[in-house]
Amino acid sequence: MPTLDNAFPQIKTARLILREISAADASALFAIHSDSSAMRWFGCDAMTDLAEADKLIDIFAHWRTMPNPGTRWGIEYNGKFIGSCGLFKWDKNWQSCHIGYELAPSHQGKGLMKEALLAMLAWGFKHMLLNRIHGQVHPQNIASIKSLQSLGFIQEGCFREAGFWNGQYHDLLQFALLRKDYQPAISAMMLPI
């Protein structure tokens, strides 16, 4: 049965470094998570205090030690933290996990998140021996829906009022990518560090 070892898995792509999120990233993480417009589909209320970013960094660091572990990478572009992506709630017996991600609005629309997700998916299928990666997206988050579909994720249904943030319930569309539908050629984007 695969496990996540203690060494954090850095991944390098043509333009990005996916690396461990550190305390030095708190201000940049807070800038993303405190932007209510950018966070409207993320699944939680926007942050109001820098201490919340510090706490989130601690949560991400502890993901790797949980019974159903996960990994959250900081996305570094030109030496700056611009967002994060991760695989979490890993069910080793079922060989499945969830996907999550966010990107600073100033870096959206440049293909950077797709580049990060391609590398992360390749890592997950190879090192976690995943058969299924699933994600939930708000029906109005068209950019995220298009991103998942471009990666080969298929919409499987809708969980009615499955999320609650900003004082209201939200439907969430269920998407999944299976190993048999995964295009292994995308792993060529990954470069060792």
Side-chain angles (χ1 to χ4, degrees), residues 34-186:
S34 64
D35 182 335
S36 57
S37 176
M39 297 304 293
R40 69 186 178 276
W41 312 128
F42 191 71
C44 62
D45 295 340
M47 291 180 179
T48 58
D49 188 281
L50 183 60
E52 293 174 272
D54 291 324
K55 183 177 179 183
L56 186 57
I57 291 169
D58 289 341
I59 290 169
F60 289 156
H62 285 84
W63 273 10
R64 294 176 57 75
T65 62
M66 297 174 70
N68 290 28
T71 300
R72 190 76 173 202
W73 287 269
I75 302 170
E76 184 178 308
Y77 176 63
N78 290 334
K80 295 182 181 177
F81 178 94
I82 62 166
S84 74
C85 58
L87 299 170
F88 61 101
K89 294 185 181 175
W90 180 20
D91 186 321
K92 296 175 190 175
N93 293 325
W94 287 11
Q95 298 174 319
S96 67
C97 73
H98 292 262
I99 185 174
Y101 47 90
E102 86 281 337
L103 190 66
S106 60
H107 289 87
Q108 294 174 4
K110 301 175 184 177
L112 296 170
M113 183 54 76
K114 183 173 183 179
E115 186 173 325
L117 294 179
L118 285 170
M120 182 186 72
L121 292 171
W123 186 90
F125 281 118
K126 180 178 180 182
H127 296 284
M128 296 169 71
L129 305 179
L130 296 170
N131 181 59
R132 175 184 168 88
I133 300 173
H134 41 161
Q136 296 175 344
V137 181
H138 193 283
Q140 294 176 344
N141 190 347
I142 303 304
S144 188
I145 290 169
K146 287 181 179 179
S147 290
L148 290 179
Q149 290 173 332
S150 75
L151 295 166
F153 282 75
I154 303 295
Q155 183 180 336
E156 298 179 324
C158 178
F159 293 134
R160 297 179 308 135
E161 297 187 1
F164 183 82
W165 66 92
N166 292 334
Q168 61 185 358
Y169 292 98
H170 298 272
D171 293 347
L172 295 172
L173 301 179
Q174 174 70 29
F175 286 84
L177 176 63
L178 302 179
R179 175 181 285 279
K180 68 182 179 182
D181 298 328
Y182 167 69
Q183 300 298 318
I186 62 177

